[in-house]
Amino acid sequence: AATNAFKSGLYPAENGWLGWSFLDKEKNRVVEYFTHRNYFTKEAVNDFDYSIFNYKSIFELIKEQNPSLTVVENYPSVIADGAKNGYNSMDDMLDRTAQILNENSECLIYSYYLEPDHSLHSLGTNHRKINEICSEINYRIEKFAKEHPDTLILVFADHSHIDVLPL
């Protein structure tokens, strides 16, 4: 929900993306929005009309107003939008980003990275591994920024995490 609220500029109740997954009552299954997979079996779900969740993203709106601007949304291969051309690692993501920058004088690139969010959901905020992941991301982005000094790089999280005690 948070990623699509950012991308759409709409509240989740307005864009229809209320979380990572949704209940498909007609087929009695839980489907992951981003991966187009059954939440429990991990099997691909190709028989659902995902267009009911469509909206014009901020990137589409920017492109409409700036037709000569190269606008790219870059996703990992596990995300449905990146399934055909997605990246498989941070190295791959940064290499693709560098390639786009090198091929275009003006561009807007949105790259979605699964970490630390993915690990935070299972490990919590105080786990040693989370610190390692964040340190590695910081190091890699800082290095990338030094290699591309004329590029504005914005790094953000679409939501926060807090640890809670079980009920």
Side-chain angles (χ1 to χ4, degrees):
T3 297
N4 286 290
F6 168 79
K7 287 177 52 178
S8 69
L10 301 170
Y11 290 108
E14 295 173 302
N15 67 30
W17 291 70
L18 302 177
W20 180 260
S21 55
F22 64 92
L23 174 62
D24 177 2
K25 286 184 179 181
E26 288 182 15
K27 303 260 175 122
N28 193 31
R29 62 188 173 187
V30 177
V31 179
E32 295 177 352
Y33 281 105
F34 283 111
T35 65
H36 294 189
R37 295 196 171 279
N38 183 302
Y39 179 81
F40 296 105
T41 67
K42 303 305 179 199
E43 294 173 356
V45 175
N46 299 316
D47 62 345
F48 185 81
D49 181 11
Y50 294 95
S51 68
I52 66 170
F53 300 115
N54 280 352
Y55 56 80
K56 276 199 176 179
S57 76
I58 185 90
F59 309 111
E60 293 169 300
L61 296 172
I62 289 170
K63 180 67 175 176
E64 285 177 5
Q65 295 299 312
N66 303 278
S68 64
L69 181 67
T70 299
V71 178
V72 176
E73 293 183 59
N74 194 18
Y75 294 95
S77 58
V78 297
I79 302 292
D81 290 343
K84 292 179 185 167
N85 299 309
Y87 55 83
N88 296 310
S89 67
M90 179 169 257
D91 284 336
D92 193 14
M93 179 187 78
L94 293 174
D95 288 347
R96 287 169 189 243
T97 302
Q99 180 181 357
I100 295 164
L101 289 171
N102 292 334
E103 293 172 356
N104 300 279
S105 60
E106 292 185 353
C107 54
L108 170 63
I109 306 166
Y110 172 79
S111 291
Y112 181 91
Y113 195 62
L114 293 171
E115 293 293 355
D117 182 67
H118 178 76
S119 295
L120 279 162
H121 282 287
S122 58
L123 300 175
T125 61
N126 294 316
H127 196 278
R128 171 190 52 80
K129 181 76 174 166
I130 300 303
N131 189 32
E132 292 171 8
I133 291 169
C134 290
S135 294
E136 179 67 16
I137 291 170
N138 285 341
Y139 169 77
R140 301 295 301 285
I141 297 298
E142 184 176 331
K143 182 176 182 263
F144 186 85
K146 287 178 182 175
E147 294 168 356
H148 302 277
D150 295 331
T151 302
L152 173 62
I153 299 172
L154 304 173
V155 177
F156 58 89
D158 60 350
H159 63 86
S160 62
H161 285 262
I162 60 169
D163 292 333
V164 296
L165 298 175
L167 297 175

